[in-house]
Amino acid sequence: MENEEKLMTGEESLEVITRMINKTRVSVTQTSFHLLFWGWLIFACSLSEFLLWRYTDWTNAWYVWFFVIPGVFVSLIYGFTKGKKEQVFTYGTRIYVWTWMAFLFSSVVFFIVHPLEEGNASKYILLLAAMPLFISGAVLRFRPLIWGGVSFWILALAAHFGGPVVSGLAMPVAMIIGYLVPGYLLRKRGSHDAVQGA
Amino acid sequence: MTPFRELDPLLHSQLRLAIISILISVDSADFSYLREKTEATAGNLSVQIGKLKDAGYISVSKSFGESYPQTMCRITDLGRQKFAEYVAALGDYLKPGSEGLKV
């Protein structure tokens, strides 16, 4: 940028303002890491629970969900350490981060009032997870995430009306559509693990 | 060049206006981000950030990352108000038939 004391005309001032505002975009780094990490973790847990329930006599298949607890810490530590290196926080970034934090808090409360041993909770989790996914897609203007959120709502309905087998498979299918596919699409963009919207 | 009137002299400078325009659009931004977007030299940017900070238009916080210091800048309520006033004055000036404004 030129000499800071250069006298500007009104048009030049307006041009500086417009140009600088246009340079700022919603930028959420880490997105593909979290999508792929959680996508694979929940896919493995939900599919394992389904297979154990379907093909073994073990009645405590829900134990596999205990793997989620260290997953929360991994995700939080990764997000915190990476977040400290961020060069900029846009309002969109803040919406994105706190929407997912709200999902985490809601999930914790949900598992307190609805313990896992009470039965397959996939339809409720899909309902909860659809919102941050859909909102993230809208904030980042990344359609695969929006469609991922929509698929979660549809799969929640399928889990409710489709019987125990459909209910058991709804979660792993949702992880592929809503987390893994968008996660790999983001990574394929080669944008250094970042996605940008307006 | 068209003369100006009643424009905040602190904002009516190319680099300082660029800094404020970025900070009005984001929650916070660090020094290297501002440098990249404004394409200013580090020295020049540092001086202008200091002027905006001294005037209370922005707040600056320094922290130490893994191996390097980080300077985060954020616009204050006063900075937001002054930017709004500047844009309003600019709008008056840019209206067809206006007499023009002075710094």
Side-chain angles (χ1 to χ4, degrees), chain A residues 20-52:
Chain A
M20 289 302 129
I21 288 175
N22 281 339
K23 280 188 175 183
T24 59
R25 290 282 186 275
V26 175
S27 173
V28 180
T29 54
Q30 309 176 25
T31 307
S32 70
F33 168 80
H34 291 290
L35 286 173
L36 295 174
F37 176 76
W38 282 104
W40 280 117
L41 181 62
I42 302 298
F43 177 82
C45 289
S46 56
L47 191 62
S48 302
E49 184 189 31
F50 174 77
L51 294 174
L52 288 168

Side-chain angles (χ1 to χ4, degrees), chain A residues 55-81:
Chain A
Y55 299 108
T56 71
D57 295 328
W58 195 34
T59 54
N60 291 321
W62 60 273
Y63 278 7
V64 297
W65 289 104
F66 281 118
F67 284 107
V68 167
I69 296 170
V72 170
F73 288 104
V74 169
S75 203
L76 286 176
I77 291 167
Y78 183 90
F80 183 73
T81 49

Side-chain angles (χ1 to χ4, degrees), chain A residues 10-190:
Chain A
E11 288 80 3
E12 284 171 340
S13 294
L14 201 61
E15 191 272 330
V16 168
I17 294 168
T18 309
R19 185 157 46 88
M20 289 302 129
I21 288 175
N22 281 339
K23 280 188 175 183
T24 59
R25 290 282 186 275
V26 175
S27 173
V28 180
T29 54
Q30 309 176 25
T31 307
S32 70
F33 168 80
H34 291 290
L35 286 173
L36 295 174
F37 176 76
W38 282 104
W40 280 117
L41 181 62
I42 302 298
F43 177 82
C45 289
S46 56
L47 191 62
S48 302
E49 184 189 31
F50 174 77
L51 294 174
L52 288 168
W53 165 76
R54 185 81 173 155
Y55 299 108
T56 71
D57 295 328
W58 195 34
T59 54
N60 291 321
W62 60 273
Y63 278 7
V64 297
W65 289 104
F66 281 118
F67 284 107
V68 167
I69 296 170
V72 170
F73 288 104
V74 169
S75 203
L76 286 176
I77 291 167
Y78 183 90
F80 183 73
T81 49
K82 286 281 182 183
K84 280 179 78 175
K85 294 179 192 168
E86 293 285 346
Q87 287 191 331
V88 64
F89 288 97
T90 63
Y91 297 110
T93 311
R94 207 159 279 278
I95 292 169
Y96 176 88
V97 170
W98 285 106
T99 300
W100 283 101
M101 289 302 286
F103 167 66
L104 173 65
F105 301 145
S106 298
S107 300
V108 170
V109 172
F110 174 77
F111 284 117
I112 291 169
V113 300
H114 187 285
L116 280 164
E117 62 266 33
E118 286 186 12
N120 195 315
S122 59
K123 61 186 175 187
Y124 302 113
I125 295 299
L126 287 172
L127 267 179
L128 281 177
M131 279 189 278
L133 206 56
F134 189 82
I135 292 168
S136 298
V139 169
L140 301 172
R141 296 194 178 184
F142 188 59
R143 282 172 191 262
L145 283 179
I146 295 175
W147 289 116
V150 171
S151 76
F152 275 30
W153 283 314
I154 294 168
L155 286 163
L157 287 170
H160 180 72
F161 292 111
V165 173
V166 173
S167 179
L169 288 173
M171 187 64 84
V173 171
M175 286 303 111
I176 294 170
I177 299 172
Y179 279 47
L180 294 174
V181 170
Y184 281 113
L185 284 173
L186 281 178
R187 183 155 286 188
K188 198 178 173 185
R189 277 186 169 187

Side-chain angles (χ1 to χ4, degrees), chain B residues 11-37:
Chain B
L11 290 183
H12 195 59
S13 121
Q14 201 174 42
L15 183 50
R16 289 194 296 269
L17 184 60
I19 294 167
I20 286 287
S21 299
I22 291 170
L23 294 178
I24 199 95
S25 318
V26 301
D27 183 72
S28 56
D30 90 341
F31 186 84
S32 52
Y33 180 85
L34 291 172
R35 193 179 164 194
E36 178 197 326
K37 298 300 177 189

